[in-house]
Amino acid sequence: MDSPSAPGRKYRRRLPGEPVNPEWTAPQLPDGSFASPPPSGVKPLTGVLGEVWEEYRRHAARLLPLAAAGVVAAGLATALVQLMAGQFDRPVMLLLVVPATWLLSKLVMILLVVVTVGLVYQTRAQDEAWRPAPARLRECVGEVTAVWLIATLAVLAGLLLFVIPGLYLIAVWEVCVPVIVIERTGPLAALRRSRELIRGHGWHVLGLIVALTVLQNVVSLVLRAAFSWLPLAWQLTVANGIAVTAVIPAGALLATLIYYRLTAAEAAEAAARAAAGLTD
């Protein structure tokens, strides 16, 4: 249903009180059938890294070039900030460069998550006749930009001040972008919805994020060793650039799949409560 204020625009925010109907479809099995939501008693995020790897192999050809372009753009923008900040003392320069680098890296990740949600959806949709396609980037660019600024600045402040609040926000806001794209909410509603979905799974989500961070650092160290014949500055630039480019799509897939799994578990729990109510 098109917004009356924007003719032809397919993106529409979910109205307050409107039921959430996430466009989740379970992973396809080798025989062509689709798996059911996690059975009762099984943690919904169990085995998600294996699923991330399968989706990574499936979509790498499309995600890696986008990740590379984003990393190069972010690197050039960071270099420009460093050049402009070079006229200040080193402490002031760091105060300018570190937040700018963090903001730009998170922007690349968030934009890639938007694309990833669409790719994963396309491969899993079973009945597109009734299930609306996720909003494209240009249809939710305002909401995505707002959530990028709010979440990134809040997480950065939490990490700089007390660390633990920053880690907490990283975990509970992990799926805010899939919420915007699929459930068509505004930025603040997406942050609340993400926190609701992650509730009870925060440590697991944080552990998965840390695992990808460790993987990125290991890849970077291996690449630095492989390029040890280069000057140190080039070693860092090449190794970190390749490592980030390789791992960012995995992070985008992780956020997307966590959303799908938790909404599936939520739907299964609601169905079970409804069935229990009918039998009482």
Side-chain angles (χ1 to χ4, degrees):
M1 176 174 157
D2 294 344
S3 170
S5 60
R9 188 183 185 203
K10 296 180 180 179
Y11 178 73
R12 178 181 65 83
R13 291 187 184 180
R14 184 167 56 87
L15 299 175
E18 183 179 347
V20 174
N21 184 25
E23 299 152 356
W24 183 87
T25 51
Q28 190 170 13
L29 301 177
D31 61 358
S33 62
F34 285 81
S36 301
S40 178
V42 176
K43 294 181 179 179
L45 299 183
T46 300
V48 71
L49 286 181
E51 190 179 0
V52 167
W53 171 241
E54 292 300 321
E55 295 290 350
Y56 188 99
R57 293 195 304 172
R58 177 181 295 177
H59 300 296
R62 296 181 67 177
L63 292 178
L64 285 175
L66 293 174
V71 169
V72 170
L76 293 175
T78 300
L80 180 60
V81 173
Q82 289 177 332
L83 183 64
M84 296 173 62
Q87 58 184 316
F88 300 104
D89 295 335
R90 184 170 180 80
V92 177
M93 183 181 71
L94 290 176
L95 287 175
L96 293 173
V97 172
V98 171
T101 303
W102 177 266
L103 279 166
L104 291 168
S105 64
K106 295 302 292 182
L107 178 61
V108 172
M109 169 63 80
I110 281 179
L111 295 179
L112 200 62
V113 172
V114 176
V115 175
T116 302
V117 170
L119 289 177
V120 173
Y121 171 81
Q122 289 172 9
T123 60
R124 294 186 174 195
Q126 300 177 68
D127 186 7
E128 294 186 12
W130 65 267
R131 184 179 288 112
R136 289 171 293 185
L137 176 58
R138 70 172 181 267
E139 296 166 346
C140 58
V141 64
E143 289 79 3
V144 169
T145 302
V147 85
W148 161 61
L149 287 172
I150 295 170
T152 306
L153 292 175
V155 168
L156 182 61
L159 291 174
L160 292 177
L161 294 177
F162 302 107
V163 179
I164 299 299
L167 295 176
Y168 169 79
L169 294 177
I170 288 174
V172 300
W173 288 346
E174 172 69 2
V175 298
C176 59
V177 176
V179 168
I180 287 176
V181 177
I182 294 177
E183 299 184 12
R184 301 166 187 257
T185 67
L188 296 180
L191 295 173
R192 290 194 297 269
R193 171 69 171 150
S194 178
R195 187 178 67 248
E196 292 170 1
L197 286 171
I198 298 296
R199 184 180 295 121
H201 307 283
W203 285 112
H204 198 164
V205 171
L206 185 60
L208 293 168
I209 296 171
V210 170
L212 284 185
T213 303
V214 171
L215 174 62
Q216 178 179 316
N217 290 331
V218 170
V219 172
S220 180
L221 288 174
V222 171
L223 290 171
R224 283 186 62 185
F227 291 99
S228 57
W229 49 275
L230 290 174
L232 180 59
W234 280 102
Q235 287 180 36
L236 294 173
T237 301
V238 173
N240 290 339
I242 296 175
V244 171
T245 299
V247 175
I248 276 184
L253 285 164
L254 179 65
T256 302
L257 296 178
I258 286 175
Y259 171 82
Y260 282 144
R261 283 178 171 236
L262 292 183
T263 51
E266 180 187 60
E269 183 179 349
R273 286 198 303 265
L278 290 175
T279 57
D280 289 343

